PDB file of all heavy atoms in Angstrom:
ATOM      1  N   GLU A  87      91.607 118.986 114.660  1.00  0.00           N
ATOM      2  CA  GLU A  87      92.038 119.599 115.957  1.00  0.00           C
ATOM      3  C   GLU A  87      93.469 120.154 115.753  1.00  0.00           C
ATOM      4  O   GLU A  87      94.333 119.394 115.316  1.00  0.00           O
ATOM      5  CB  GLU A  87      91.979 118.562 117.076  1.00  0.00           C
ATOM      6  CG  GLU A  87      92.138 119.187 118.409  1.00  0.00           C
ATOM      7  CD  GLU A  87      92.444 118.210 119.510  1.00  0.00           C
ATOM      8  OE1 GLU A  87      92.252 117.009 119.351  1.00  0.00           O
ATOM      9  OE2 GLU A  87      92.943 118.709 120.555  1.00  0.00           O
ATOM     10  N   CYS A  88      93.645 121.367 116.071  1.00  0.00           N
ATOM     11  CA  CYS A  88      94.935 121.983 115.948  1.00  0.00           C
ATOM     12  C   CYS A  88      95.364 122.400 117.344  1.00  0.00           C
ATOM     13  O   CYS A  88      94.688 123.253 117.942  1.00  0.00           O
ATOM     14  CB  CYS A  88      94.917 123.186 115.033  1.00  0.00           C
ATOM     15  SG  CYS A  88      94.107 122.903 113.471  1.00  0.00           S
ATOM     16  N   ALA A  89      96.458 121.825 117.858  1.00  0.00           N
ATOM     17  CA  ALA A  89      96.809 122.146 119.240  1.00  0.00           C
ATOM     18  C   ALA A  89      98.299 121.908 119.483  1.00  0.00           C
ATOM     19  O   ALA A  89      98.924 121.252 118.704  1.00  0.00           O
ATOM     20  CB  ALA A  89      95.972 121.292 120.214  1.00  0.00           C
ATOM     21  N   ASN A  90      98.762 122.518 120.597  1.00  0.00           N
ATOM     22  CA  ASN A  90     100.166 122.339 120.957  1.00  0.00           C
ATOM     23  C   ASN A  90     100.278 121.187 121.987  1.00  0.00           C
ATOM     24  O   ASN A  90      99.544 121.172 122.938  1.00  0.00           O
ATOM     25  CB  ASN A  90     100.741 123.635 121.498  1.00  0.00           C
ATOM     26  CG  ASN A  90     100.862 124.633 120.382  1.00  0.00           C
ATOM     27  OD1 ASN A  90     101.138 124.285 119.235  1.00  0.00           O
ATOM     28  ND2 ASN A  90     100.639 125.938 120.679  1.00  0.00           N
ATOM     29  N   PHE A  91     101.222 120.319 121.731  1.00  0.00           N
ATOM     30  CA  PHE A  91     101.422 119.172 122.618  1.00  0.00           C
ATOM     31  C   PHE A  91     102.854 119.112 123.068  1.00  0.00           C
ATOM     32  O   PHE A  91     103.750 119.651 122.458  1.00  0.00           O
ATOM     33  CB  PHE A  91     101.091 117.891 121.876  1.00  0.00           C
ATOM     34  CG  PHE A  91      99.596 117.724 121.582  1.00  0.00           C
ATOM     35  CD1 PHE A  91      99.085 118.169 120.417  1.00  0.00           C
ATOM     36  CD2 PHE A  91      98.745 117.116 122.531  1.00  0.00           C
ATOM     37  CE1 PHE A  91      97.708 118.057 120.155  1.00  0.00           C
ATOM     38  CE2 PHE A  91      97.416 117.013 122.262  1.00  0.00           C
ATOM     39  CZ  PHE A  91      96.890 117.481 121.123  1.00  0.00           C
ATOM     40  N   ARG A  92     103.071 118.389 124.180  1.00  0.00           N
ATOM     41  CA  ARG A  92     104.419 118.215 124.702  1.00  0.00           C
ATOM     42  C   ARG A  92     104.790 116.761 124.777  1.00  0.00           C
ATOM     43  O   ARG A  92     103.919 115.914 125.041  1.00  0.00           O
ATOM     44  CB  ARG A  92     104.490 118.781 126.159  1.00  0.00           C
ATOM     45  CG  ARG A  92     104.442 120.263 126.195  1.00  0.00           C
ATOM     46  CD  ARG A  92     103.949 120.749 127.534  1.00  0.00           C
ATOM     47  NE  ARG A  92     103.770 122.162 127.464  1.00  0.00           N
ATOM     48  CZ  ARG A  92     104.587 123.035 128.066  1.00  0.00           C
ATOM     49  NH1 ARG A  92     105.559 122.611 128.870  1.00  0.00           N
ATOM     50  NH2 ARG A  92     104.396 124.346 127.941  1.00  0.00           N
ATOM     51  N   GLY A  93     106.029 116.455 124.526  1.00  0.00           N
ATOM     52  CA  GLY A  93     106.460 115.070 124.635  1.00  0.00           C
ATOM     53  C   GLY A  93     107.775 115.029 125.420  1.00  0.00           C
ATOM     54  O   GLY A  93     108.642 115.842 125.177  1.00  0.00           O
ATOM     55  N   VAL A  94     107.870 114.129 126.393  1.00  0.00           N
ATOM     56  CA  VAL A  94     109.042 114.092 127.281  1.00  0.00           C
ATOM     57  C   VAL A  94     109.892 112.836 126.986  1.00  0.00           C
ATOM     58  O   VAL A  94     109.336 111.778 126.712  1.00  0.00           O
ATOM     59  CB  VAL A  94     108.591 114.075 128.753  1.00  0.00           C
ATOM     60  CG1 VAL A  94     109.783 113.860 129.691  1.00  0.00           C
ATOM     61  CG2 VAL A  94     107.881 115.395 129.040  1.00  0.00           C
ATOM     62  N   HIS A  95     111.217 113.016 127.039  1.00  0.00           N
ATOM     63  CA  HIS A  95     112.098 111.888 126.949  1.00  0.00           C
ATOM     64  C   HIS A  95     113.145 112.047 128.021  1.00  0.00           C
ATOM     65  O   HIS A  95     113.775 113.115 128.134  1.00  0.00           O
ATOM     66  CB  HIS A  95     112.763 111.815 125.565  1.00  0.00           C
ATOM     67  CG  HIS A  95     113.837 110.799 125.465  1.00  0.00           C
ATOM     68  ND1 HIS A  95     113.609 109.434 125.625  1.00  0.00           N
ATOM     69  CD2 HIS A  95     115.147 110.938 125.238  1.00  0.00           C
ATOM     70  CE1 HIS A  95     114.738 108.789 125.511  1.00  0.00           C
ATOM     71  NE2 HIS A  95     115.677 109.680 125.276  1.00  0.00           N
ATOM     72  N   THR A  96     113.314 110.977 128.831  1.00  0.00           N
ATOM     73  CA  THR A  96     114.328 111.074 129.919  1.00  0.00           C
ATOM     74  C   THR A  96     115.635 110.429 129.423  1.00  0.00           C
ATOM     75  O   THR A  96     115.624 109.329 128.876  1.00  0.00           O
ATOM     76  CB  THR A  96     113.811 110.362 131.174  1.00  0.00           C
ATOM     77  OG1 THR A  96     112.494 110.842 131.390  1.00  0.00           O
ATOM     78  CG2 THR A  96     114.666 110.567 132.355  1.00  0.00           C
ATOM     79  N   ILE A  97     116.691 111.161 129.592  1.00  0.00           N
ATOM     80  CA  ILE A  97     117.998 110.637 129.137  1.00  0.00           C
ATOM     81  C   ILE A  97     118.486 109.566 130.177  1.00  0.00           C
ATOM     82  O   ILE A  97     118.530 109.835 131.340  1.00  0.00           O
ATOM     83  CB  ILE A  97     119.051 111.813 129.115  1.00  0.00           C
ATOM     84  CG1 ILE A  97     118.491 113.031 128.439  1.00  0.00           C
ATOM     85  CG2 ILE A  97     120.375 111.329 128.477  1.00  0.00           C
ATOM     86  CD1 ILE A  97     118.125 112.942 126.984  1.00  0.00           C
ATOM     87  N   PRO A  98     118.777 108.371 129.668  1.00  0.00           N
ATOM     88  CA  PRO A  98     119.123 107.328 130.604  1.00  0.00           C
ATOM     89  C   PRO A  98     120.332 107.624 131.503  1.00  0.00           C
ATOM     90  O   PRO A  98     120.305 107.351 132.700  1.00  0.00           O
ATOM     91  CB  PRO A  98     119.408 106.095 129.704  1.00  0.00           C
ATOM     92  CG  PRO A  98     118.884 106.466 128.352  1.00  0.00           C
ATOM     93  CD  PRO A  98     118.803 107.963 128.300  1.00  0.00           C
TER      94      PRO A  98
END
Side-chain angles (χ1 to χ4, degrees):
E87 192 195 341
C88 309
N90 290 327
F91 290 92
R92 289 157 184 251
V94 173
H95 171 63
T96 309
I97 314 295

